[in-house]
Structure formats: structure tokens, C-alpha cells
Amino acid sequence: MPSSLQLETRPAVDLPQLDLDPYSIASLMDPYPLHEQVREAGPVVYLTPWQVYAVARYEQVKAVLSDHDTYISGAGVGLTNFNLEPPFRPRSLVLEADPPAHTPCRAVLARVLSPTVLRNLRPVFEAEAEALVDQCLELGAIDGIKALAERYPLKVFPDAVGLAAEGRENLLLYGDMVFNANGPRNELLAKSTERVGPVTEWIMRRCQRDMLAPGGFGAQIWEAADRGDITHEQAPMLVRSLLSAGVDTTINGLGNALFCLATHPEEYAKLHSDPSLARYAFDEALRYESTAQTFYRTTVRDTVLAGVPIPANCKVLMMLAAANRDPRKWPDPDRFLIERRPAGHVAFGAGIHGCVGQAIARLEGELVLSILARRVRRIELIGEPTRRLNNTLRALDALPLRLIPA
Ligand code: OVV
């Protein structure tokens, strides 16, 4: 047999084929055993249940995030390949777009959420955090999710966008559905699609100019269209991005941080004695319990990653939460340590699609945790936390806590 034929029929270089399902109930409840299996099987693996490539090591996740020309977002950042199946809603102009179309849209959002803007918002966000923590302290026993992790972002973020108070719980249903939609068409997606019914129309109506208070993020997006930075057709779609990505994410970031602190009293004690650790504690919680567990890319051409060939038009699953616990990158990765400096974690992604709202997310996290640290001596877990399963998000439904005042 001629050697060239042998070469052609040789299987791809060491591509482990794993019969593992990240969307099984067991894995959604506790994803970390599967993360370790994928990470240790090789730098690139193939998950047979969904027929996708997957990377779970920090180095390869970072490589895929960084090479946005090869690993594109325009074919969707979930399991569904938009080249083969249409998206369930009109594509996001930032999340599900590539340069050059992506660039001006991203720039508008980056300007609206700039450090200067956030510096001005800080006193407002701080006063809200103080009021809410005081209310929780008066109650003593609270559900940390409903009373704090949900209430805070649901107040401060839509206020900053310029959204009226009525109907904000719709944002929770919408976020739940958008993040479920990045996974397979399973029971979770079916249920949240059912619940979301009339909400989509409500959301799209809120993106219109007349619904957005002057001076808010929403109004500023429309002003960017007046300046010609984007078109007036694009403006409501970018407001939709804020409403899609700005609430459920921070809610669960905060909820997971409260969970980490309640289950690691020795770490909470450190935070209580030095509230200036709040910013690091929030980032460590994001590393340890990454809110957005996964995102996908799609190969635009044949490529090679860590010596493994990947053909064109394939979905590549980036296991962000697994990369954030890769022992090749992090000493003692399975320990929650608030004095760690977890710079470089990929809970916000990285590169041109890295979370454009990460500064506002960190502002919310830092403020809530630092005010808790000052006013609460101890956080006691007084019941079993329950999970809210979502195809993308690491989320809690309930977190029974008692707050012991300082
Ligand atoms: C779920 C999600 C994350 C980030 C961005 C968007 C959505 C968007 O709609 O642009």
C-alpha cells in the first residue's frame, strides 16, 4: 500500500473520544468530576454524545479564546451551529458576531460601560448595597439568593440601563432561557422556553428609545446611533444584549460567592477582618464556581490545536470552569482561597469577546461583599442550598443563611 494512503487513513493524532455528557443532570448538579475527566484525557477531546470537540485545560481554552479568526462566534456560541440550523432569536450583534461587524458594536458597549461611567455610578451602587445588607441583617435569617443575590443586581443594573421598575422579574426568565439555549434542546430548555413566552415581546419593547430613561446605558446606546457609530436598527439589539447578559450573570456570580463564603467560614473570617479583600474574594468565587460554565466557538477552517487536527465547521466547547481549576495553571485549584490573586481566570472569557460588562459585575460583587464584610461577623448556612439547573449557568435556587451582625 502506498504510504500516502496510509497517511490519509491514519486516525487523528491522539484524539480521545469520550462518552461524557456535560448536560446530564448529574453533571449539571456537580460538574467538577466530568471537568477533571475531560481535562486529564488530553488537550483536545471529542465528546461523542454531542459530537463536539472540547477543551478543558487552561492553555487550550485561552488559545481558542484568543484566536477569534479561526474559532468564530458568528455561527453561535452554543451547541447549535447556525450554519446548519437557524438561531432561536435574531443573532446578538456582539456575542454572535465576528469582526469587522462586531467591532463598532463592541466599541459602543465598551464606551457605555467605561471605567469613567462606573466611577460615577459607584456611590449609587454603594448606597443600594448598604440599604439591602441592612435589610437582610434586620431579617436575620434570609434566603441569600432571593433576598440578596437576586435583589441587588435586579435593582441597580436595570436602574442604570434606564428601565422602569415594573416587570423586572421578566429579566430573570429571559436570562434563564438565553443561557439554556446555548445547550441542547433538552427538558431544561423546553421548560424555560415555555415560561418565557410573552416575555420576549416585553424585552424587545423595553429596548425601544421611548422606554429608556435619559442618561442611562440604554439612552446612551441610542445616542451612539445618532452620532453614526452604529445604525438606529442596531441600537435596540445592543440594548437587548445588556438585558440578556447583565442580570442573570451577576445574580449567580453573587449567589455563588455567598455560597462559597457560607461554606468556607475560615475564608469569611479573613474577609471580615480585612474587607479590602472583597474584590479578590469575588474574583476567586468566579474562578472557583464560574457562573458561565461553558461557551462554544466554531472552526472557520481546518486547524490544529495542541497537535490535534480539527476540521472546518466544527463546534469546539470551551470548558471555562474546568480551565479555572486546571492544576497546570492554579496551585490547589479545588480550594476556595480569598487571598489568592486569581488574575487571568477565564470566567469572563478573554480577548475581543471577553465580557464587556466585567467592570460593572466586579463593582457589584465588590460592593456587596465589602459591605457584608463590615456589617456581618459570621454567615451561617442554616439549611441545604438547592440548585437551579441551567445548560450554561452555575446557579442556585435557594441558599438559607443566618447573618450574625458585627
Ligand atoms: C447570554 C449572553 C451573554 C453575552 C452577551 C449576550 C448574551 C448578548 O445578547 O449579546
Side-chain angles (χ1 to χ4, degrees):
M1 192 190 279
S3 62
S4 65
L5 259 181
Q6 267 175 342
L7 264 179
E8 279 169 21
T9 53
R10 201 161 59 188
V13 177
D14 198 27
L15 173 65
Q17 313 247 341
L18 305 179
D19 181 19
L20 294 175
D21 180 6
Y23 303 105
S24 73
I25 301 296
S27 275
L28 292 173
M29 287 293 289
D30 178 15
Y32 302 112
L34 182 141
H35 289 178
E36 185 176 1
Q37 282 177 285
V38 176
R39 213 166 43 217
E40 297 316 310
V44 183
V45 309
Y46 194 73
L47 299 181
T48 55
W50 301 106
Q51 303 180 19
V52 294
Y53 290 78
V55 289
R57 295 183 186 174
Y58 183 85
E59 186 183 345
Q60 279 72 42
V61 167
K62 201 68 189 282
V64 172
L65 285 168
S66 308
D67 186 0
H68 54 261
D69 287 330
T70 307
Y71 302 94
I72 63 163
S73 293
V77 295
L79 176 61
T80 304
N81 183 341
F82 295 171
N83 294 326
L84 308 174
E85 261 184 83
F88 81 99
R89 60 171 195 168
R91 267 170 241 231
S92 162
L93 301 181
V94 279
L95 180 73
E96 296 152 338
D98 300 298
H102 167 267
T103 312
C105 295
R106 163 88 191 192
V108 165
L109 291 183
R111 164 117 61 109
V112 167
L113 299 166
S114 73
T116 323
V117 173
L118 299 192
R119 256 196 305 282
N120 295 329
L121 275 176
R122 191 180 173 97
V124 181
F125 277 39
E126 186 163 22
E128 287 297 342
E130 284 170 348
L132 196 53
V133 168
D134 283 347
Q135 276 180 35
C136 289
L137 264 169
E138 259 168 55
L139 292 169
I142 59 163
D143 173 1
I145 302 305
K146 297 286 176 300
L148 193 50
E150 278 187 9
R151 274 189 75 192
Y152 184 67
L154 210 44
K155 168 76 180 141
V156 297
F157 187 76
D159 277 2
V161 170
L163 216 63
E166 159 273 326
R168 285 185 182 183
E169 62 285 355
N170 286 332
L171 295 166
L172 301 180
L173 295 173
Y174 192 69
D176 188 56
M177 188 268 298
V178 168
F179 282 99
N180 269 327
N182 280 344
R185 299 201 171 165
N186 55 10
E187 190 75 2
L188 286 173
L189 178 55
K191 284 217 175 106
S192 64
T193 307
E194 210 173 280
R195 280 194 299 264
V196 91
V199 169
T200 302
E201 216 183 290
W202 184 94
I203 295 280
M204 293 319 292
R205 182 70 191 101
R206 286 327 160 278
C207 298
Q208 295 304 316
R209 193 164 206 166
D210 62 317
M211 300 301 278
L212 296 160
F217 299 154
Q220 289 174 52
I221 289 172
W222 279 95
E223 282 158 22
D226 295 342
R227 285 195 302 270
D229 298 347
I230 51 169
T231 69
H232 284 94
E233 286 69 44
Q234 289 174 322
M237 286 295 286
L238 291 181
V239 179
R240 192 192 73 169
S241 284
L242 295 185
L243 302 185
S244 303
V247 181
D248 214 358
T249 47
T250 39
I251 286 175
N252 290 297
L254 269 173
N256 293 338
L258 292 175
F259 172 81
C260 291
L261 291 167
T263 52
H264 295 78
E266 72 297 344
E267 295 304 300
Y268 186 76
K270 291 178 193 166
L271 180 62
H272 180 54
S273 65
D274 181 4
S276 75
L277 290 171
R279 224 177 154 74
Y280 301 112
F282 187 63
D283 264 285
E284 171 65 351
L286 285 168
R287 182 197 68 81
Y288 185 81
E289 290 272 35
S290 301
T291 313
Q293 293 264 304
T294 51
F295 273 109
Y296 290 79
R297 294 290 186 262
T298 311
T299 51
V300 78
R301 64 179 88 89
D302 293 357
T303 188
V304 177
L305 181 59
V308 179
I310 307 177
N313 203 24
C314 287
K315 280 283 167 177
V316 180
L317 172 61
M318 303 181 294
M319 307 187 80
L320 304 174
N324 282 337
R325 290 184 180 219
D326 182 356
R328 294 159 191 80
K329 166 75 180 172
W330 313 97
D332 273 338
D334 294 322
R335 293 185 67 196
F336 171 71
L337 299 169
I338 69 163
E339 288 163 308
R340 192 198 290 275
R341 298 292 187 258
H345 73 69
V346 287
F348 288 120
I352 67 164
H353 292 285
C355 178
V356 75
Q358 58 186 284
I360 197 166
R362 285 197 172 101
L363 178 64
E364 292 177 43
E366 180 203 338
L367 287 171
V368 170
L369 295 191
S370 69
I371 290 155
L372 270 178
R374 286 195 196 90
R375 302 191 178 180
V376 175
R377 182 160 46 89
R378 245 177 14 196
I379 301 179
E380 287 175 1
L381 190 63
I382 55 171
E384 199 52 38
T386 53
R387 295 224 151 260
R388 168 160 75 84
L389 299 189
N390 181 284
N391 285 331
T392 304
L393 296 175
R394 181 89 174 135
L396 288 161
D397 200 39
L399 181 64
L401 301 177
R402 188 185 334 275
L403 305 183
I404 316 288

